[in-house]
Amino acid sequence: MSPRKRTDSAALPAPVSPERHAAIHGPLLSWYDRNKRDLPWRRTRDPYAIWLSEVMLQQTQVSTVIPYWERFLARFPTVKALASAPLDDVLSGWKGLGYYSRARNLHRAAQEVVERFGGKLPSTAEELLTLPGFGRYTAGAVASIAFGEEAPIVDGNVARVLSRLFEVEGLPGDRDREATLWALASALVKGQRPGDFNQALMEHGATVCRPESPLCLLCPVRDGCIAFKKGRVDELPPAKVRAAPRKLFLALAVWPHAGTLLFARRADKGLFGGLWELPAVEVEEDTSEAEATERLATTLGAPLTLEGTLDSVRRQLTHRDLTLRLLRVTGDKRPTKSAAFQDLRWCTPQEAEALGMSTAMQRALDAVLGHGVLGGDAAPAKKKTASRPARKAAGR
Ligand code: SF4
């Protein structure tokens, strides 16, 4: 069994007086009852469905999550169904949502729930924290919303609301600030309907106490807001300085053969871990097409001939500015395995639909098919260069 992690800041003194608690807890709950958005996961008591919504919502907007949540639940309606599904099916069901480590952790956690808890999600934040993918936020959210435990949560919305209400200083990520916020959330959640209270805090941050132009005149807890009283609403919390996204260039092998293309499954760790792609290697911005082809040949363990290039595909990820360079290649020796990938497969476009693939790779595949690489009436590859064999094949 994994080691258990702490779920609250018990070492810190309770930072909220009974009067302030009463001035925030009740009014926020009443406001929530009148104003909450009608979201599908708020109509269910199924802990698994609630857990799934919390995982999907971690990096993705509500409006995007709704159809994914409904489809995923229809495909994997219970923890047991999810646990027994092949990982490929789970990743395929996640296709388009991004941050695929969430899907892999969800799958592993479902398997542990079956093995260790008989298929029933444990009901306390402390136990939930022992499962893969459960951090303090997710454990608190599921324990409070699905099981009514007085477990705190702090996400970006809650942090903003509490920073303003209690004038909490410090930059996001600062340890003292985080400890203070968790201590405040722990104190405030005590009382009636802890799950609804946590959702009220988040909802209030998302719709009223917004990052820009908060609607203070409509705020149910304005009288107790220190930032409002002091005119510091625009200062709290201070904006986090974001690093510029790193530029990343990948060369992709577009290798058509008899109505199929070659696909590779990446190693589990790292960017797009465990997902399928047109076989890719990292290159530099100024890497020549010939050199990129050679690197692909080395990675695939098969000599390649460069036949032409297609338009590159650009994709902006949260931390990366991605450019996918599409190299149309061919070769006499068609590989079926490679040490660099978990698996290689020659698939028709229809077969490829069932593969778990990132949105970026899906866009690249769409571009390839749009160019008529597998035949049809789409435009041909942009240019044709003199064929030349790759100089070497790795390990051969
Ligand atoms: Fe947020 Fe304004 Fe309400 Fe304070 S008064 S909690 S800043 S919305």
Side-chain angles (χ1 to χ4, degrees), residues 221-338:
V221 289
R222 187 184 61 212
D223 287 350
C225 177
I226 299 177
F228 183 77
K229 272 189 200 145
K230 293 188 176 179
R232 297 195 64 206
V233 171
D234 293 338
E235 293 169 32
L236 293 169
K240 192 174 183 177
V241 181
R242 278 188 191 277
R246 182 168 85 84
K247 285 187 174 181
L248 179 65
F249 296 84
L250 296 178
L252 272 57
V254 180
W255 190 343
H257 175 78
T260 65
L261 287 165
L262 178 61
F263 290 86
R265 185 167 178 192
R266 294 175 74 91
D268 278 340
K269 291 234 175 332
L271 182 68
F272 304 140
L275 295 175
W276 288 86
E277 65 183 16
L278 295 168
V281 291
E282 185 168 350
V283 292
E284 291 73 50
E285 187 166 11
D286 57 356
T287 302
S288 68
E289 291 159 9
E291 171 63 21
T293 305
E294 200 173 303
R295 288 192 205 174
L296 281 165
T298 302
T299 301
L300 288 169
L304 293 178
T305 301
L306 175 64
E307 292 201 314
T309 61
L310 309 177
D311 289 332
S312 294
V313 171
R314 292 279 305 273
R315 186 93 187 148
Q316 191 70 54
L317 309 179
T318 310
H319 302 295
R320 287 189 179 82
D321 179 0
L322 189 61
T323 301
L324 303 176
R325 294 172 57 186
L326 304 174
L327 305 183
R328 182 169 171 163
V329 298
T330 190
D332 292 336
K333 185 180 146 214
R334 290 188 298 115
T336 52
K337 60 182 179 201
S338 153

Side-chain angles (χ1 to χ4, degrees), residues 12 32 37 42 47 66 68 71 75 89 102 155 172 180 221 241 267 277 281-282 299 311 321 330-331 342 370 391:
L12 295 167
Y32 179 68
R37 290 168 290 179
R42 288 182 176 162
I66 292 173
Y68 277 98
R71 276 199 300 271
R75 191 162 168 184
D89 286 2
R102 293 182 295 175
D155 70 349
T180 302
V221 289
V241 181
E277 65 183 16
V281 291
E282 185 168 350
T299 301
D311 289 332
D321 179 0
T330 190
Q342 292 196 52
R391 281 204 299 268

Side-chain angles (χ1 to χ4, degrees), residues 84-117:
S84 60
L87 177 60
D88 263 356
D89 286 2
V90 177
L91 293 174
S92 164
W94 204 266
K95 207 159 154 175
L97 267 180
Y99 294 95
Y100 287 83
S101 58
R102 293 182 295 175
R104 285 194 297 277
N105 281 331
L106 194 70
H107 189 232
R108 279 175 44 222
Q111 290 173 333
E112 281 201 28
V113 169
V114 170
E115 284 162 21
R116 293 169 43 205
F117 299 100

Side-chain angles (χ1 to χ4, degrees), residues 161 164-165 204 208-209 214-216 219 221-222 225 227-228 233:
V161 176
R164 290 171 173 170
L165 274 174
H204 184 256
V208 177
C209 197
L215 306 173
C216 298
C219 177
V221 289
R222 187 184 61 212
C225 177
F228 183 77
V233 171

